[in-house]
Structure formats: structure tokens, C-alpha cells
Amino acid sequence: MINLGDWQQTLNDEDQLKRFDSAIKFECTPIMFNRDEATATFQGKSHRYLTSLNDCECVDFIRNQKACKHMYRLALEMGLLEGTFESNVLKISNQLSTEDALTFINILSDEAQKIVQDFLYYHLYKKRENYGYIKSTVLNELLNNEIFIVCDDAAALFDPYGRNELNEKIEPYSIPGFKKNLKKEKLVKWVIATAPNIITELTSDAVAITLHPKFTKTKRKVYSHLKQKFPSEDNWL
């Protein structure tokens, strides 16, 4: 990973300064940002670009192999570069009207709609940007209809599993320092820090997802609609 000094040194010519100037504009707002993984996803005119501090999927980086505007923006978001930048995810993604958003939701199966309701509860009231679910045909329905998109969030991949289930999965690896009595949250952090190479195997039947950005403006209205449609599902709230 490039350190702070390295990032400052990348701004050493006119072309790089132009890229930095583009990075601070609201048009370069990431539609997803994962601070723990130091990655972000940006919406281009026709493609999305996954960006880390060392590479980017955009044409500019692939062609020039120099820090692009997306990488500079990620460095700004991470606090590795100083600078004031503009953010507005509503302007850089095509937002659905309430009518269109509800149309997208209502064509789904009831089971899929209940997953959306469950996700939006955690998103709106527990401040969860991403959440993990077991792979299923219903989840594929939500992904294929672009209600959710897959995201890169190692911690979220552990959401579907209980602590005892994780203990059973981890124990065969005989990792030094493994403790069965850890609370799930601490256990997940321990795995990510100590044995990141086994995360893919431990969570092979799970996927981390986030809400498609086109629902950013209407997500509260979608949740209210689903809460009225399936009232018995959230009496516990």
C-alpha cells in the first residue's frame, strides 16, 4: 500500500495535478467506499471501476500506470492526501423515482421483497452499508434485478453464521491463538487480522451485498412500503 509520503510525491507533474483536480469534484464521488479494505467503486459513463490505493480498473490507469483520479479520490477519502472534496452520490448515479422504485420492488417474489425489507432495516436503523447473506436463488433474483450489487466486505461475509458455527469451521485449521469463547464480533475481527487467507473457504456459501445506488433517494419510502405490506415481519422492531 502506498504511504502518505508516496501519495504526496505522485503530485509531481502537470498531468497528475489535473487528475487530482478531477478527483475533488462531486462527479468523482464513489458509489461505494470500504475504509477497512481501502477500496472504492466509481461510476463511469458506461462502466464501474473498482479502485484500490495501488490500482484501478479504469482505462487511464491501465494505459498510463500512474495514479488516476479515482485513486486520488480514494486517497482523499482515506485521509492519505489533504484536500477539500465535493460529494454527491445522488448526482452521479441515476436515481429512480418513487413510482419506478416501487415498481422494481413489487415485481419481485414475496421472499425477495422480505429480504429487501430486512436489509433496509439494518441499513437505515443500524447504519449497515453492507450485509452478508447465504447464496440462493432468491438472492440471485435480487442481484439480477439490480436491487442489490455485490460488494467487497470481508466482515459482512460472516453475517449469516452464528458464533458456534464459525467455531466449528475454524477449528480444523488449528490456527495458533484460536479461542472458542470469543464473542462473534471479536472472533470475526480475529480471523480477518490473523488468518485472512481462510476467509474465502469459511464463507464460501455467502456473499456480501449492498443496495444499488439508484435506490439511494427512495430507500426510506421503499422500506415504509414494505413495512406496510409485510407488517407481521417486523412487529419486533
Side-chain angles (χ1 to χ4, degrees), residues 2-224:
I2 301 174
N3 62 37
L4 177 58
D6 293 333
W7 274 109
Q8 298 288 2
Q9 291 174 22
T10 64
L11 296 172
N12 56 8
D13 63 50
E14 186 175 351
D15 286 339
Q16 292 307 106
L17 286 172
K18 287 180 180 179
R19 291 182 172 97
F20 180 82
D21 288 341
S22 295
I24 65 176
K25 296 178 180 178
F26 77 79
E27 290 91 341
C28 203
T29 303
I31 60 173
M32 286 188 291
F33 170 48
N34 189 324
R35 182 177 295 277
D36 292 336
E37 298 291 332
T39 61
T41 301
F42 296 87
Q43 180 66 57
K45 291 183 178 179
S46 59
H47 295 87
R48 285 183 180 162
Y49 308 115
L50 179 62
T51 303
S52 73
L53 293 171
N54 294 305
D55 58 64
C56 181
E57 295 176 343
C58 75
V59 174
D60 181 38
F61 178 76
I62 293 172
R63 180 181 298 156
N64 298 301
Q65 292 297 298
K66 292 182 179 180
C68 63
K69 65 181 181 180
H70 307 112
M71 296 169 71
Y72 281 129
R73 181 55 179 258
L74 177 57
L76 285 163
E77 298 274 358
M78 295 290 297
L80 294 175
L81 281 175
E82 294 184 3
T84 301
F85 51 89
E86 303 172 348
S87 294
N88 196 330
V89 72
L90 297 181
K91 288 187 177 181
I92 55 90
S93 60
N94 295 323
Q95 293 297 300
L96 294 173
S97 66
T98 299
E99 181 180 0
D100 287 343
L102 294 181
T103 297
F104 268 93
I105 297 299
N106 286 329
I107 64 173
L108 301 171
S109 65
D110 283 358
E111 189 175 357
Q113 290 184 53
K114 290 174 183 178
I115 290 179
V116 176
Q117 181 184 14
D118 175 67
F119 175 89
L120 287 175
Y121 169 74
Y122 284 98
H123 177 66
L124 293 170
Y125 299 106
K126 301 295 182 180
K127 307 303 180 184
R128 290 288 303 272
E129 292 295 326
N130 312 322
Y131 206 81
Y133 290 93
I134 295 297
K135 298 173 184 176
S136 67
T137 55
V138 179
L139 197 60
N140 286 338
E141 178 186 357
L142 290 161
L143 291 169
N144 291 337
N145 282 283
E146 294 189 334
I147 310 300
F148 294 144
I149 53 178
V150 176
C151 64
D152 184 15
D153 188 335
L157 288 171
F158 290 91
D159 287 332
Y161 310 101
R163 187 191 71 171
N164 291 339
E165 186 177 4
L166 285 176
N167 280 333
E168 291 178 2
K169 285 174 170 283
I170 297 169
E171 190 171 17
Y173 290 93
S174 301
I175 303 171
F178 171 57
K179 297 179 181 179
K180 284 188 174 183
N181 61 348
L182 289 177
K183 291 184 178 180
K184 179 184 172 181
E185 182 180 356
K186 290 185 177 181
L187 179 62
V188 169
K189 289 182 178 179
W190 178 83
V191 172
I192 292 174
T194 308
N197 56 307
I198 69 170
I199 293 175
T200 299
E201 290 185 57
L202 293 179
T203 63
S204 60
D205 55 351
V207 61
I209 55 89
T210 193
L211 189 67
H212 195 290
K214 66 186 177 183
F215 288 96
T216 301
K217 194 173 180 179
T218 58
K219 57 190 176 184
R220 290 189 177 275
K221 291 182 179 179
V222 169
Y223 179 70
S224 295

